[in-house]
Amino acid sequence: MNWLDLIGWAGSALLVWSLLQARILRLRALNLVGCLVLIGYNAALAVWPMVGLNVVLAVINIWYLRKMLATRHDEATYQVVEVGVDDQFLAHTLRVHGADIARFNPGFRWPPGIAAERSAFLVVRADEVVGVVLSHAEPGGVAQIDLDYVTQRFRDFTPGEFVYRRSRLFTDRGFRRVVSPPGMVAPYYHRLGFRPEGDAYVLDLPAPPVGGRA
């Protein structure tokens, strides 16, 4: 087997590996790289139909990647829907993703057995749930996050930002700080302006405008 064959096998392996990815951004990126490798491989062999096929696939991947990256912070693409803490669809979502939730939030229990005020938010893209944020009130204007979960398909994005920084769902309730779940695996809060504090991350919230809800 010569070096050119190795390149061809590597490109094919990348294409297969990309299709095994649950994260859509990673899937598209790996698929694009595989297509580019196979474009070079088939061009070297003058197999022009395969070059054409992989060029088309590469363009499709680039189009989807550009669209995903352009809308990752778009409030028109991701919406925050508040639901009741006893909502049946919320319970269904937590049950369906229970094993994955336990992997990234090993200490999570819902309901947590506390009497404090609790809130539940779903982050949705069209009709698909991409994230869940559950919290309860602590003294001193602190919103303690019990769960911040992103579904596997959207784990390369940060849908929680629409709850913490854009929707004013905490500031309008009079909260002054948001504290991340303790012991969360692979937290992403440093990308949202949180600062580390002990084993958690803290976001200091601005005071609500005059006339806002307390």
Side-chain angles (χ1 to χ4, degrees), residues 27-119:
L27 184 156
R28 289 292 178 185
L30 288 173
N31 200 276
L32 174 60
V33 174
C35 289
L36 294 176
V37 171
L38 289 176
I39 288 171
Y41 170 73
N42 286 292
L45 296 177
V47 185
W48 303 117
M50 295 304 297
V51 170
L53 172 63
N54 282 285
V55 167
V56 171
L57 293 177
V59 170
I60 292 172
N61 281 312
I62 290 171
W63 187 85
Y64 275 105
L65 282 168
R66 182 178 178 277
K67 183 178 179 181
M68 284 187 286
L69 293 174
T71 60
R72 68 188 307 174
H73 304 295
D74 184 10
E75 292 182 62
T77 302
Y78 298 93
Q79 301 290 324
V80 178
V81 179
E82 184 172 7
V83 297
V85 295
D86 297 321
D87 183 84
Q88 291 300 307
F89 183 71
L90 171 63
H92 170 74
T93 302
L94 296 177
R95 184 166 56 251
V96 168
H97 297 282
D100 198 43
I101 289 173
R103 176 185 170 199
F104 290 93
N105 299 266
F108 171 71
R109 299 290 183 275
W110 188 262
I114 56 176
E117 176 188 350
R118 291 183 283 153
S119 300

